[in-house]
PDB file of all heavy atoms in Angstrom:
ATOM      1  N   ALA R  18      54.952 -22.110 -94.678  1.00 80.00           N
ATOM      2  CA  ALA R  18      55.489 -20.788 -95.020  1.00 80.00           C
ATOM      3  C   ALA R  18      54.603 -20.084 -96.030  1.00 80.00           C
ATOM      4  O   ALA R  18      54.388 -18.855 -95.951  1.00 80.00           O
ATOM      5  CB  ALA R  18      56.914 -20.931 -95.568  1.00 80.00           C
ATOM      6  N   THR R  19      54.061 -20.840 -97.001  1.00 82.00           N
ATOM      7  CA  THR R  19      53.148 -20.235 -97.980  1.00 82.00           C
ATOM      8  C   THR R  19      51.893 -19.711 -97.299  1.00 82.00           C
ATOM      9  O   THR R  19      51.401 -18.612 -97.613  1.00 82.00           O
ATOM     10  CB  THR R  19      52.781 -21.273 -99.051  1.00 82.00           C
ATOM     11  OG1 THR R  19      53.972 -21.754 -99.679  1.00 82.00           O
ATOM     12  CG2 THR R  19      51.883 -20.662-100.109  1.00 82.00           C
ATOM     13  N   GLN R  20      51.359 -20.521 -96.382  1.00 85.00           N
ATOM     14  CA  GLN R  20      50.181 -20.074 -95.643  1.00 85.00           C
ATOM     15  C   GLN R  20      50.489 -18.832 -94.814  1.00 85.00           C
ATOM     16  O   GLN R  20      49.686 -17.889 -94.752  1.00 85.00           O
ATOM     17  CB  GLN R  20      49.689 -21.214 -94.742  1.00 85.00           C
ATOM     18  CG  GLN R  20      48.458 -20.900 -93.928  1.00 85.00           C
ATOM     19  CD  GLN R  20      47.198 -20.817 -94.781  1.00 85.00           C
ATOM     20  OE1 GLN R  20      47.237 -21.062 -95.982  1.00 85.00           O
ATOM     21  NE2 GLN R  20      46.087 -20.446 -94.156  1.00 85.00           N
ATOM     22  N   THR R  21      51.667 -18.813 -94.182  1.00 85.00           N
ATOM     23  CA  THR R  21      52.066 -17.653 -93.383  1.00 85.00           C
ATOM     24  C   THR R  21      52.183 -16.411 -94.259  1.00 85.00           C
ATOM     25  O   THR R  21      51.735 -15.312 -93.876  1.00 85.00           O
ATOM     26  CB  THR R  21      53.400 -17.934 -92.677  1.00 85.00           C
ATOM     27  OG1 THR R  21      53.257 -19.079 -91.839  1.00 85.00           O
ATOM     28  CG2 THR R  21      53.831 -16.750 -91.834  1.00 85.00           C
ATOM     29  N   THR R  22      52.786 -16.560 -95.437  1.00 81.00           N
ATOM     30  CA  THR R  22      52.928 -15.419 -96.348  1.00 81.00           C
ATOM     31  C   THR R  22      51.555 -14.879 -96.754  1.00 81.00           C
ATOM     32  O   THR R  22      51.332 -13.651 -96.772  1.00 81.00           O
ATOM     33  CB  THR R  22      53.730 -15.840 -97.591  1.00 81.00           C
ATOM     34  OG1 THR R  22      55.022 -16.305 -97.191  1.00 81.00           O
ATOM     35  CG2 THR R  22      53.890 -14.669 -98.553  1.00 81.00           C
ATOM     36  N   ARG R  23      50.650 -15.766 -97.101  1.00 85.00           N
ATOM     37  CA  ARG R  23      49.317 -15.327 -97.519  1.00 85.00           C
ATOM     38  C   ARG R  23      48.601 -14.581 -96.391  1.00 85.00           C
ATOM     39  O   ARG R  23      47.992 -13.531 -96.609  1.00 85.00           O
ATOM     40  CB  ARG R  23      48.491 -16.541 -97.948  1.00 85.00           C
ATOM     41  CG  ARG R  23      47.124 -16.190 -98.525  1.00 85.00           C
ATOM     42  CD  ARG R  23      46.428 -17.442 -99.013  1.00 85.00           C
ATOM     43  NE  ARG R  23      46.203 -18.379 -97.923  1.00 85.00           N
ATOM     44  CZ  ARG R  23      45.169 -18.303 -97.065  1.00 85.00           C
ATOM     45  NH1 ARG R  23      44.283 -17.314 -97.193  1.00 85.00           N
ATOM     46  NH2 ARG R  23      45.016 -19.194 -96.112  1.00 85.00           N
ATOM     47  N   LEU R  24      48.716 -15.119 -95.168  1.00 86.00           N
ATOM     48  CA  LEU R  24      48.054 -14.464 -94.041  1.00 86.00           C
ATOM     49  C   LEU R  24      48.704 -13.116 -93.707  1.00 86.00           C
ATOM     50  O   LEU R  24      48.005 -12.141 -93.374  1.00 86.00           O
ATOM     51  CB  LEU R  24      48.090 -15.389 -92.817  1.00 86.00           C
ATOM     52  CG  LEU R  24      47.283 -16.689 -92.948  1.00 86.00           C
ATOM     53  CD1 LEU R  24      47.492 -17.569 -91.724  1.00 86.00           C
ATOM     54  CD2 LEU R  24      45.799 -16.386 -93.149  1.00 86.00           C
ATOM     55  N   GLN R  25      50.037 -13.057 -93.797  1.00 83.00           N
ATOM     56  CA  GLN R  25      50.719 -11.798 -93.519  1.00 83.00           C
ATOM     57  C   GLN R  25      50.381 -10.745 -94.573  1.00 83.00           C
ATOM     58  O   GLN R  25      50.226  -9.546 -94.248  1.00 83.00           O
ATOM     59  CB  GLN R  25      52.232 -12.015 -93.464  1.00 83.00           C
ATOM     60  CG  GLN R  25      52.724 -12.859 -92.296  1.00 83.00           C
ATOM     61  CD  GLN R  25      52.540 -12.163 -90.959  1.00 83.00           C
ATOM     62  OE1 GLN R  25      52.098 -11.012 -90.860  1.00 83.00           O
ATOM     63  NE2 GLN R  25      52.870 -12.876 -89.884  1.00 83.00           N
ATOM     64  N   GLU R  26      50.243 -11.168 -95.830  1.00 80.00           N
ATOM     65  CA  GLU R  26      49.853 -10.225 -96.879  1.00 80.00           C
ATOM     66  C   GLU R  26      48.436  -9.710 -96.634  1.00 80.00           C
ATOM     67  O   GLU R  26      48.155  -8.513 -96.835  1.00 80.00           O
ATOM     68  CB  GLU R  26      49.960 -10.899 -98.244  1.00 80.00           C
ATOM     69  CG  GLU R  26      51.398 -11.132 -98.697  1.00 80.00           C
ATOM     70  CD  GLU R  26      51.482 -11.920 -99.982  1.00 80.00           C
ATOM     71  OE1 GLU R  26      50.452 -12.512-100.390  1.00 80.00           O
ATOM     72  OE2 GLU R  26      52.560 -11.963-100.589  1.00 80.00           O
ATOM     73  N   GLN R  27      47.539 -10.601 -96.206  1.00 86.00           N
ATOM     74  CA  GLN R  27      46.182 -10.157 -95.885  1.00 86.00           C
ATOM     75  C   GLN R  27      46.182  -9.190 -94.695  1.00 86.00           C
ATOM     76  O   GLN R  27      45.458  -8.184 -94.689  1.00 86.00           O
ATOM     77  CB  GLN R  27      45.310 -11.379 -95.578  1.00 86.00           C
ATOM     78  CG  GLN R  27      45.030 -12.258 -96.784  1.00 86.00           C
ATOM     79  CD  GLN R  27      44.214 -13.486 -96.421  1.00 86.00           C
ATOM     80  OE1 GLN R  27      43.879 -13.709 -95.252  1.00 86.00           O
ATOM     81  NE2 GLN R  27      43.882 -14.277 -97.433  1.00 86.00           N
ATOM     82  N   SER R  28      47.020  -9.515 -93.696  1.00 85.00           N
ATOM     83  CA  SER R  28      47.101  -8.625 -92.530  1.00 85.00           C
ATOM     84  C   SER R  28      47.631  -7.261 -92.934  1.00 85.00           C
ATOM     85  O   SER R  28      47.164  -6.211 -92.435  1.00 85.00           O
ATOM     86  CB  SER R  28      48.006  -9.254 -91.458  1.00 85.00           C
ATOM     87  OG  SER R  28      47.481 -10.488 -91.013  1.00 85.00           O
ATOM     88  N   LEU R  29      48.629  -7.245 -93.842  1.00 80.00           N
ATOM     89  CA  LEU R  29      49.169  -5.966 -94.307  1.00 80.00           C
ATOM     90  C   LEU R  29      48.108  -5.169 -95.062  1.00 80.00           C
ATOM     91  O   LEU R  29      47.997  -3.941 -94.884  1.00 80.00           O
ATOM     92  CB  LEU R  29      50.389  -6.207 -95.193  1.00 80.00           C
ATOM     93  CG  LEU R  29      51.008  -4.954 -95.822  1.00 80.00           C
ATOM     94  CD1 LEU R  29      51.476  -3.975 -94.741  1.00 80.00           C
ATOM     95  CD2 LEU R  29      52.165  -5.332 -96.749  1.00 80.00           C
ATOM     96  N   GLU R  30      47.323  -5.837 -95.897  1.00 82.00           N
ATOM     97  CA  GLU R  30      46.272  -5.141 -96.634  1.00 82.00           C
ATOM     98  C   GLU R  30      45.240  -4.541 -95.678  1.00 82.00           C
ATOM     99  O   GLU R  30      44.803  -3.386 -95.860  1.00 82.00           O
ATOM    100  CB  GLU R  30      45.598  -6.121 -97.594  1.00 82.00           C
ATOM    101  CG  GLU R  30      46.488  -6.571 -98.754  1.00 82.00           C
ATOM    102  CD  GLU R  30      45.797  -7.599 -99.636  1.00 82.00           C
ATOM    103  OE1 GLU R  30      44.618  -7.935 -99.336  1.00 82.00           O
ATOM    104  OE2 GLU R  30      46.417  -8.056-100.607  1.00 82.00           O
ATOM    105  N   ILE R  31      44.871  -5.316 -94.666  1.00 85.00           N
ATOM    106  CA  ILE R  31      43.893  -4.804 -93.693  1.00 85.00           C
ATOM    107  C   ILE R  31      44.455  -3.617 -92.930  1.00 85.00           C
ATOM    108  O   ILE R  31      43.785  -2.587 -92.729  1.00 85.00           O
ATOM    109  CB  ILE R  31      43.475  -5.931 -92.727  1.00 85.00           C
ATOM    110  CG1 ILE R  31      42.740  -7.045 -93.492  1.00 85.00           C
ATOM    111  CG2 ILE R  31      42.624  -5.393 -91.589  1.00 85.00           C
ATOM    112  CD1 ILE R  31      42.445  -8.271 -92.656  1.00 85.00           C
ATOM    113  N   GLU R  32      45.733  -3.760 -92.522  1.00 80.00           N
ATOM    114  CA  GLU R  32      46.342  -2.667 -91.755  1.00 80.00           C
ATOM    115  C   GLU R  32      46.510  -1.433 -92.617  1.00 80.00           C
ATOM    116  O   GLU R  32      46.353  -0.294 -92.136  1.00 80.00           O
ATOM    117  CB  GLU R  32      47.695  -3.134 -91.210  1.00 80.00           C
ATOM    118  CG  GLU R  32      48.212  -2.321 -90.044  1.00 80.00           C
ATOM    119  CD  GLU R  32      47.314  -2.469 -88.807  1.00 80.00           C
ATOM    120  OE1 GLU R  32      46.688  -3.548 -88.669  1.00 80.00           O
ATOM    121  OE2 GLU R  32      47.262  -1.526 -88.001  1.00 80.00           O
ATOM    122  N   GLN R  33      46.812  -1.634 -93.915  1.00 79.00           N
ATOM    123  CA  GLN R  33      46.944  -0.501 -94.818  1.00 79.00           C
ATOM    124  C   GLN R  33      45.597   0.211 -94.993  1.00 79.00           C
ATOM    125  O   GLN R  33      45.530   1.446 -95.020  1.00 79.00           O
ATOM    126  CB  GLN R  33      47.465  -0.984 -96.180  1.00 79.00           C
ATOM    127  CG  GLN R  33      47.727   0.135 -97.173  1.00 79.00           C
ATOM    128  CD  GLN R  33      48.882   1.034 -96.768  1.00 79.00           C
ATOM    129  OE1 GLN R  33      49.940   0.530 -96.411  1.00 79.00           O
ATOM    130  NE2 GLN R  33      48.673   2.333 -96.803  1.00 79.00           N
ATOM    131  N   GLU R  34      44.529  -0.572 -95.107  1.00 81.00           N
ATOM    132  CA  GLU R  34      43.202   0.028 -95.228  1.00 81.00           C
ATOM    133  C   GLU R  34      42.830   0.806 -93.968  1.00 81.00           C
ATOM    134  O   GLU R  34      42.262   1.907 -94.047  1.00 81.00           O
ATOM    135  CB  GLU R  34      42.173  -1.069 -95.505  1.00 81.00           C
ATOM    136  CG  GLU R  34      42.332  -1.728 -96.875  1.00 81.00           C
ATOM    137  CD  GLU R  34      41.379  -2.882 -97.069  1.00 81.00           C
ATOM    138  OE1 GLU R  34      40.640  -3.214 -96.107  1.00 81.00           O
ATOM    139  OE2 GLU R  34      41.374  -3.472 -98.180  1.00 81.00           O
ATOM    140  N   LYS R  35      43.155   0.232 -92.803  1.00 81.00           N
ATOM    141  CA  LYS R  35      42.874   0.934 -91.542  1.00 81.00           C
ATOM    142  C   LYS R  35      43.692   2.224 -91.461  1.00 81.00           C
ATOM    143  O   LYS R  35      43.217   3.257 -90.973  1.00 81.00           O
ATOM    144  CB  LYS R  35      43.196   0.029 -90.356  1.00 81.00           C
ATOM    145  CG  LYS R  35      42.248  -1.156 -90.230  1.00 81.00           C
ATOM    146  CD  LYS R  35      42.740  -2.170 -89.216  1.00 81.00           C
ATOM    147  CE  LYS R  35      42.860  -1.562 -87.832  1.00 81.00           C
ATOM    148  NZ  LYS R  35      43.309  -2.562 -86.827  1.00 81.00           N
ATOM    149  N   PHE R  36      44.951   2.166 -91.962  1.00 75.00           N
ATOM    150  CA  PHE R  36      45.799   3.357 -91.930  1.00 75.00           C
ATOM    151  C   PHE R  36      45.260   4.444 -92.851  1.00 75.00           C
ATOM    152  O   PHE R  36      45.325   5.647 -92.527  1.00 75.00           O
ATOM    153  CB  PHE R  36      47.225   2.971 -92.319  1.00 75.00           C
ATOM    154  CG  PHE R  36      48.165   4.131 -92.392  1.00 75.00           C
ATOM    155  CD1 PHE R  36      48.654   4.741 -91.243  1.00 75.00           C
ATOM    156  CD2 PHE R  36      48.564   4.638 -93.632  1.00 75.00           C
ATOM    157  CE1 PHE R  36      49.516   5.819 -91.329  1.00 75.00           C
ATOM    158  CE2 PHE R  36      49.428   5.709 -93.716  1.00 75.00           C
ATOM    159  CZ  PHE R  36      49.915   6.301 -92.550  1.00 75.00           C
ATOM    160  N   ASP R  37      44.714   4.005 -93.990  1.00 75.00           N
ATOM    161  CA  ASP R  37      44.185   4.979 -94.940  1.00 75.00           C
ATOM    162  C   ASP R  37      43.003   5.759 -94.375  1.00 75.00           C
ATOM    163  O   ASP R  37      42.774   6.925 -94.756  1.00 75.00           O
ATOM    164  CB  ASP R  37      43.782   4.268 -96.238  1.00 75.00           C
ATOM    165  CG  ASP R  37      44.990   3.727 -96.985  1.00 75.00           C
ATOM    166  OD1 ASP R  37      46.111   4.222 -96.737  1.00 75.00           O
ATOM    167  OD2 ASP R  37      44.824   2.788 -97.793  1.00 75.00           O
ATOM    168  N   VAL R  38      42.243   5.121 -93.461  1.00 73.00           N
ATOM    169  CA  VAL R  38      41.080   5.810 -92.881  1.00 73.00           C
ATOM    170  C   VAL R  38      41.379   6.345 -91.498  1.00 73.00           C
ATOM    171  O   VAL R  38      40.472   6.784 -90.783  1.00 73.00           O
ATOM    172  CB  VAL R  38      39.860   4.853 -92.827  1.00 73.00           C
ATOM    173  CG1 VAL R  38      39.444   4.441 -94.229  1.00 73.00           C
ATOM    174  CG2 VAL R  38      40.169   3.623 -91.983  1.00 73.00           C
ATOM    175  N   GLY R  39      42.665   6.282 -91.104  1.00 72.00           N
ATOM    176  CA  GLY R  39      43.075   6.857 -89.849  1.00 72.00           C
ATOM    177  C   GLY R  39      42.847   6.005 -88.631  1.00 72.00           C
ATOM    178  O   GLY R  39      42.883   6.507 -87.503  1.00 72.00           O
ATOM    179  N   LEU R  40      42.643   4.670 -88.825  1.00 73.00           N
ATOM    180  CA  LEU R  40      42.406   3.782 -87.690  1.00 73.00           C
ATOM    181  C   LEU R  40      43.659   2.990 -87.291  1.00 73.00           C
ATOM    182  O   LEU R  40      43.589   2.136 -86.406  1.00 73.00           O
ATOM    183  CB  LEU R  40      41.262   2.798 -88.024  1.00 73.00           C
ATOM    184  CG  LEU R  40      39.895   3.441 -88.277  1.00 73.00           C
ATOM    185  CD1 LEU R  40      38.871   2.387 -88.627  1.00 73.00           C
ATOM    186  CD2 LEU R  40      39.454   4.268 -87.060  1.00 73.00           C
ATOM    187  N   SER R  41      44.774   3.256 -87.956  1.00 72.00           N
ATOM    188  CA  SER R  41      46.025   2.573 -87.615  1.00 72.00           C
ATOM    189  C   SER R  41      47.155   3.576 -87.713  1.00 72.00           C
ATOM    190  O   SER R  41      46.962   4.729 -88.119  1.00 72.00           O
ATOM    191  CB  SER R  41      46.271   1.388 -88.550  1.00 72.00           C
ATOM    192  OG  SER R  41      47.473   0.726 -88.202  1.00 72.00           O
ATOM    193  N   THR R  42      48.344   3.104 -87.350  1.00 71.00           N
ATOM    194  CA  THR R  42      49.504   3.991 -87.351  1.00 71.00           C
ATOM    195  C   THR R  42      50.509   3.559 -88.408  1.00 71.00           C
ATOM    196  O   THR R  42      50.519   2.406 -88.862  1.00 71.00           O
ATOM    197  CB  THR R  42      50.197   3.970 -85.975  1.00 71.00           C
ATOM    198  OG1 THR R  42      50.687   2.654 -85.711  1.00 71.00           O
ATOM    199  CG2 THR R  42      49.218   4.382 -84.878  1.00 71.00           C
TER     200      THR R  42
END
């Protein structure tokens, strides 16, 4: 679960960065 949380947080950060530059929704 700790590993899953860390990976999900990284995925959220990446998706947030993509959203900031208009590459995600």
